[in-house]
Amino acid sequence: MSTTLTPKAPETTLPQTPADAEGVRLYGMYIDGEFTATDGRDMIDTVDPVSGEVWARITRGTAEDVDRAANAAHRAFTEGEWPKLNPSQRGALLRRIGDLVSENADWLAYIEQRDNGKLIAELSMQMRYMANYYYYYGGLADKIEGSVIPTDKPGVLNYTKYEPLGVVACITPWNSPLPLASMKIAPALAAGNTVVLKPSEFTSASLVELMKIMERAGVPKGVVNVITGLGAEVGDALVSHRHVERIAFTGGPIAGQMINEKAAKHMKRVTLELGGKSPNIIFEDADMDNALKGAIAGIFAASGQTCVAGSRLLVQESIHDAFVERLLEMVKQAKFGHPADPDSQIAPISTRPQFEKVKSYVEVALAGGAKLALGGKPANVEGCPNGLFFEPTVFVDVDNSMRIAQEEVFGPILSIIRFKDEDDAVRIANDIEFGLAAGIWTQSIGRAINMSNRVRAGTIWINNYRSTSVTSPFGGFKMSGIGRECGIAGMKEYMEVKSVWISTETNIPNPFVRR
Ligand code: NAD
């Protein structure tokens, strides 16, 4: 019987996390500038999806912990060092965080991989790129300018300014824990807010590790806090906390809807980055080699566990059979292996419940009448006997009305749908409750522009798929969410506009008449 490979931990100068006698790391939370003790606390197992072993335990936080963290964040927002920093000083602090993220990128990639099993080839790049969130928003911190308004009222000077909101709750999923948290932390801090983070209960270790960087960078206590535990317990308590002014949430539509309802009751601001069922549309005039790569990157990168997964592949009738044949050939060549091996191409499913969900959707597709063309079952991978690997799975003869075409799986399952022409492609692409992203493959500039105008999604990729940048706004139409992350728009989500009126007259005119 083969034994599981265990990736070697890279060197780090960050303080070590305590471990139990078996070497399982024990993660506390980070509240008001202190790592909380784990003795006597309820703990939740964190399972390595490659080995099936418990490699860490995280603290199961409570509503009292949330209260302490939110109060600490509120104190840090209203008194002490943080509100005295000017935007340029906040920017400098963010750039220090960016430097430390860069220096510790290999360590963070290692922890993130133990947590969610992503390919090291992707994680190494992602963790290095993550420093850019702190550099970009560090640079932007002192560049958000208000305006002097040329008002139509006499005797006044009117100007606007952008102000922070206060305490921001950031709630994140398990598929890209650190980048999705950094996408929130960096603009929230640049704007002058304080934050309480709640990572997924499946992948919390990496965010607690990031707090060591926050501490080393000199972030004042209480400005950034991490609460770990279950969504229904600490997540819910955080959303309801009276000091929380904004909720920045990335996750599934069900939790997103619940959060939105709660937030509405207290007029809390929300950014919701939810799921998708994105169309990746291949026209007959596309560059076929690139379109094939784009189709594969769209759904099988990260084993389909990305919100932007191009899980509905729309292929024009005239090229359908030839395209599908080549796609299946290419997918069959994909290399399974331990995600720590830089040559591996297929990573495991990150959590046991998600693995079961992916399996169940094969049944859903078959029951709905889709035809299985490839995969459809768990995969045995040498060196990883307990790994949660699943074969890249392709269904053909899918109709857009089937459940497999309408519901987000968040796994390596591709549904291929035929279309006749542009109108038909638009109809199918938009006949869905989601609107996160779309890919369009064509060599006609006119068709590319027309299609990008007609497909209802927050991000449109023409002749590429999955490109994102901290500099460009990202978010969903329809059920895929509310608000935008990244870019200048992403920072303004963490600010309120204030309008200030100054009288330039020496005498206030008749007080009974509005001017
Ligand atoms: P999830 O909704 O189950 O959980 C996300 C987070 O919400 C977790 O931290 C969880 O503990 C917390 N949570 C759950 N219930 C809660 C509640 N009632 N109150 C407060 N917090 C609660 O999602 P997941 O399974 O971790 O992640 C997968 C989902 O995330 C997919 O739907 C995917 O599309 C989505 N996602 C979206 C984006 C995006 O940018 N649009 C990016 C990545 C993932």
Side-chain angles (χ1 to χ4, degrees), residues 299-321:
I299 184 65
F300 297 122
S303 293
Q305 301 168 104
T306 64
C307 52
V308 294
S311 48
R312 290 186 298 150
L313 188 70
L314 276 52
V315 185
Q316 193 158 17
E317 229 164 35
S318 50
I319 54 157
H320 178 276
D321 293 355

Side-chain angles (χ1 to χ4, degrees), residues 244-497:
V244 168
E245 301 273 352
R246 165 173 276 282
I247 298 136
F249 173 81
T250 302
I254 295 172
Q257 271 174 315
M258 281 162 58
I259 289 170
N260 200 20
E261 280 172 25
K262 281 226 155 123
K265 197 164 166 214
H266 300 283
M267 297 297 167
K268 291 177 195 279
R269 278 75 177 131
V270 290
T271 316
L272 300 169
E273 295 288 357
L274 308 178
K277 192 77 187 177
S278 299
N280 203 358
I281 307 168
I282 319 290
F283 282 98
E284 60 191 1
D285 65 349
D287 176 316
M288 285 307 144
D289 292 339
N290 284 334
L292 279 162
K293 287 185 206 151
I296 289 171
I299 184 65
F300 297 122
S303 293
Q305 301 168 104
T306 64
C307 52
V308 294
S311 48
R312 290 186 298 150
L313 188 70
L314 276 52
V315 185
Q316 193 158 17
E317 229 164 35
S318 50
I319 54 157
H320 178 276
D321 293 355
F323 190 85
V324 172
E325 194 183 321
R326 284 190 65 191
L327 179 102
L328 295 177
E329 274 317 303
M330 267 179 103
V331 179
K332 281 182 202 157
Q333 313 298 321
K335 190 170 172 265
F336 283 97
H338 195 296
D341 175 350
D343 292 332
S344 296
Q345 292 175 317
I346 305 278
I349 304 299
S350 295
T351 74
R352 171 64 65 181
Q354 186 59 26
F355 185 73
E356 297 303 330
K357 182 178 173 190
V358 171
K359 263 203 301 190
S360 76
Y361 265 95
V362 172
E363 299 308 317
V364 166
L366 292 172
K371 191 167 142 211
L372 182 65
L374 190 71
K377 54 184 193 311
N380 293 321
V381 174
E382 207 191 328
C384 313
N386 301 314
L388 298 174
F389 289 90
F390 203 88
E391 292 176 347
T393 297
V394 179
F395 283 101
V396 291
D397 293 345
V398 176
D399 185 272
N400 196 53
S401 62
M402 292 177 189
R403 277 184 65 197
I404 193 61
Q406 289 288 318
E407 297 174 17
E408 184 186 46
V409 178
F410 215 58
I413 297 189
L414 180 64
S415 297
I416 303 186
I417 303 171
R418 293 167 191 263
F419 70 89
K420 286 194 199 61
D421 51 22
E422 274 181 40
D423 286 347
D424 200 28
V426 170
R427 179 188 62 76
I428 297 169
N430 290 341
D431 182 15
I432 193 95
E433 64 178 357
F434 298 109
L436 193 58
I440 295 161
W441 298 82
T442 173
Q443 296 197 66
S444 154
I445 184 73
R447 168 174 277 168
I449 292 169
N450 288 338
M451 287 297 293
S452 70
N453 287 336
R454 295 177 73 193
V455 173
R456 296 194 34 82
T459 295
I460 306 281
W461 290 298
I462 293 167
N463 296 332
N464 69 107
Y465 205 90
R466 275 185 101 212
S467 310
T468 55
S469 164
V470 62
T471 57
S472 180
F474 177 83
F477 282 25
K478 303 196 273 184
M479 277 292 282
S480 290
I482 295 175
R484 292 293 178 268
E485 292 195 304
C486 297
I488 297 171
M491 178 143 161
K492 288 190 174 168
E493 297 272 359
Y494 293 96
M495 308 185 97
E496 289 279 26
V497 186

Side-chain angles (χ1 to χ4, degrees), residues 16-17 27 30 80 123 130 140 144-145 216 224 252 286 424 428 431 440 452 460 484 496:
Q16 282 300 313
T17 294
Y27 282 98
Y30 189 65
L123 275 173
M130 202 169 78
L140 200 54
I144 300 292
E145 297 172 351
R216 188 165 284 180
V224 182
D424 200 28
I428 297 169
D431 182 15
I440 295 161
S452 70
I460 306 281
R484 292 293 178 268
E496 289 279 26

Side-chain angles (χ1 to χ4, degrees), residues 109 120-130:
I120 200 69
E122 178 153 333
L123 275 173
S124 303
M125 183 277 295
Q126 256 193 343
M127 293 301 113
R128 280 175 174 74
Y129 185 78
M130 202 169 78

